[in-house]
Amino acid sequence: MFFFTFLLFSYPQTSQQIQNATAHCREVLSNPRLTPLHGTLEVVMYQNVSLSCHSDSGSPPIRYTLFKQRQQVSALNRTDLTPVVFNLTINSASDLGEYKCKAENEISNGEKYSRSLNFTLKEPVSKPVLSSPSSQAKKGQTVTLSCISEKGSLPITYTFFKGRQRIQPPVKMQTREAAVISVLIESSSDFGIYSCKAQNSFRNNTKYSNSFNLTLAEERSNSQPLIISLVLILLLLAIGFALAIPFFIIPSYKAKKFAPTTSSTGHNSTERVEESEDYVTYAEIEPIQPGEEYVNLSVIRRRDEQENRACATIYSKVLIRDGAQAGPLHSPE
C-alpha cells in the first residue's frame, strides 16, 4: 500500500517536469543583434564586410535572414544559439544603406528583427586644386586662395602653405565646397609659391595640390595709351597719304604739265611766249558751250617792269571750225 501511494505521488511530479522541459524547448526568441565584426560602419570600395547576427535566447532551430532595405540578401540556419555570419562585398554605392537581420523559429509569431545598420563609404580624397582669380598682385592687395578635392568622403580638412610653412589654421569642410582663405600682400616675401593639402578619415591618404606662383604685378605707365594713340593716328595719316598719291596728286600734276596752250577744252597754259616788247604770262580759254562756234580766249601780258605800268589783258574771240582759228586780238579799254 505504501508503495502504490508513492507511485501515485511521484507520477504528477514527473509529468510537471516533462511539461516544464517541453515549455523550455519552445522558448520564444529574443530580438537578434546585428553587429559588424570589424567594429566600424565606414567602408571603402571593394571592401569585404562581415556581419554577425544571433539571438541570446529562443528554441532552436533558428533561421536568420539578412535584409537590405527590405530586400533579402542572404539566409542561414542554426540548430543552436550560436551566431551566424553574413559576408558581403561593397562593390558599388548601391551596396551601402540600411541592413537588418530577422530571426525566427517554429513557434507561431516568433519573428524578431534587429536594429538597422547603415554603412557609409569612406573614400580617399583626390588631389586638391588650388586656384585664385589672378596670379599677380600688388603690395597692399588682398588675394583670395581656394582649395578643393572633387572626391573623398566628408568631412575634408584643408591646410594652406606658403612654401613649406603653414600660413593659416586648417579649414574643415562638411560639404563638397572649396575652402577659401584671404592673404594680405604686405611685403615682397608674400610673393612666391603657394600650395594646399587635403585629408579625411581615410588613413595614410594625404594629398597635396599643384603649386601656385603669386607674382608682383607690373606698374603700367600712364603715357602708354597716349603713345599708342599717336602711333595709330600717324599710321592712318600715312595710309591716307599713300592712297591719295595715285588718285589725286599724280593726275593733277600731269594735267598741269601737259596741258596745250590753245586747247579748246578749257585747260590753262603756263608756257611763256616771248615777243618784242612783252610776253604772255598765261592764257585762259573758256569752255565751249553747246551750240557755239566761238570761245573766249583771254591773254594776260606783262610789259617791261621799268615802265611800272599795270599788266594789260588782251581778249580775243576764236572761231573753232575744222581746226581753224579766226578772229583778231583786241584789247578792251
Side-chain angles (χ1 to χ4, degrees):
M1 184 66 180
F2 176 76
F3 179 72
F4 179 76
T5 305
F6 177 78
L7 288 176
L8 291 176
F9 180 77
S10 301
Y11 178 75
Q13 185 176 4
T14 305
S15 299
Q16 185 67 34
Q17 291 176 353
I18 294 173
Q19 291 177 0
N20 292 338
T22 304
H24 178 73
C25 292
R26 297 178 62 83
E27 185 179 3
V28 179
L29 286 170
S30 62
N31 288 88
R33 291 183 297 172
L34 182 65
T35 56
L37 291 183
H38 299 289
T40 178
L41 295 176
E42 291 185 338
V43 296
V44 297
M45 199 64 70
Y46 311 114
Q47 179 179 339
N48 295 323
V49 178
S50 297
L51 297 177
S52 172
C53 183
H54 80 285
S55 294
D56 293 329
S57 61
S59 299
I62 303 174
R63 182 176 177 83
Y64 296 97
T65 307
L66 182 67
F67 292 89
K68 177 185 178 296
Q69 296 177 349
R70 298 183 179 181
Q71 183 178 1
Q72 180 176 331
V73 177
S74 181
L76 295 173
N77 296 320
R78 278 289 181 268
T79 59
D80 52 22
L81 295 179
T82 58
V84 295
V85 177
F86 297 101
N87 295 314
L88 307 172
T89 302
I90 307 300
N91 292 316
S92 64
S94 62
D95 295 326
L96 304 174
E98 182 183 81
Y99 286 84
K100 282 186 177 182
C101 176
K102 181 181 76 171
E104 56 186 336
N105 60 7
E106 296 177 354
I107 300 177
S108 179
N109 298 325
E111 296 181 356
K112 299 292 183 177
Y113 286 90
S114 69
R115 294 183 179 181
S116 61
L117 293 181
N118 283 285
F119 286 107
T120 58
L121 183 65
K122 186 171 64 174
E123 185 181 12
V125 294
S126 60
K127 180 179 179 180
V129 177
L130 180 64
S131 61
S132 179
S134 177
S135 61
Q136 293 185 336
K138 300 177 181 178
K139 291 183 179 180
Q141 183 179 349
T142 300
V143 177
T144 300
L145 298 177
S146 302
C147 184
I148 185 172
S149 290
E150 296 295 338
K151 296 182 180 180
S153 54
L154 300 171
I156 300 177
T157 302
Y158 298 94
T159 308
F160 293 83
F161 297 89
K162 166 64 172 61
R164 295 184 178 181
Q165 182 179 2
R166 191 183 74 181
I167 56 177
Q168 289 192 13
V171 181
K172 191 173 186 178
M173 301 298 297
Q174 300 288 347
T175 58
R176 187 76 60 188
E177 296 179 354
V180 180
I181 66 169
S182 297
V183 179
L184 177 61
I185 307 301
E186 297 179 326
S187 63
S188 58
S189 62
D190 294 323
F191 297 101
I193 304 297
Y194 287 82
S195 62
C196 69
K197 75 174 182 180
Q199 57 188 146
N200 58 5
S201 58
F202 201 93
R203 295 181 179 178
N204 301 323
N205 187 65
T206 300
K207 297 292 181 66
Y208 287 86
S209 71
N210 55 298
S211 297
F212 180 80
N213 189 17
L214 183 63
T215 59
L216 176 64
E218 297 181 357
E219 297 288 344
R220 294 185 177 181
S221 175
N222 295 331
S223 61
Q224 286 185 353
L226 179 61
I227 295 175
I228 294 175
S229 300
L230 292 177
V231 171
L232 291 176
I233 293 174
L234 292 176
L235 182 61
L236 291 176
L237 291 176
I239 294 174
F241 182 76
L243 294 176
I245 290 177
F247 293 100
F248 298 101
I249 299 178
I250 295 179
S252 176
Y253 174 75
K254 289 182 178 181
K256 290 182 180 180
K257 182 176 181 180
F258 299 104
T261 58
T262 59
S263 171
S264 63
T265 60
H267 291 285
N268 295 333
S269 174
T270 58
E271 295 182 3
R272 294 183 178 181
V273 181
E274 293 186 0
E275 295 183 357
S276 58
E277 295 181 356
D278 48 15
Y279 58 88
V280 177
T281 301
Y282 61 89
E284 295 181 353
I285 303 176
E286 296 181 2
I288 301 176
Q289 301 297 327
E292 295 184 0
E293 296 182 345
Y294 294 90
V295 295
N296 291 325
L297 171 66
S298 59
V299 180
I300 299 175
R301 305 174 64 183
R302 188 177 65 189
R303 298 184 182 278
D304 190 359
E305 294 181 355
Q306 294 179 356
E307 296 179 4
N308 196 17
R309 293 189 302 174
C311 298
T313 303
I314 300 176
Y315 298 93
S316 176
K317 232 177 195 181
V318 180
L319 175 62
I320 306 299
R321 182 179 295 172
D322 297 333
Q325 300 181 1
L329 292 174
H330 62 276
S331 176
E333 295 298 332

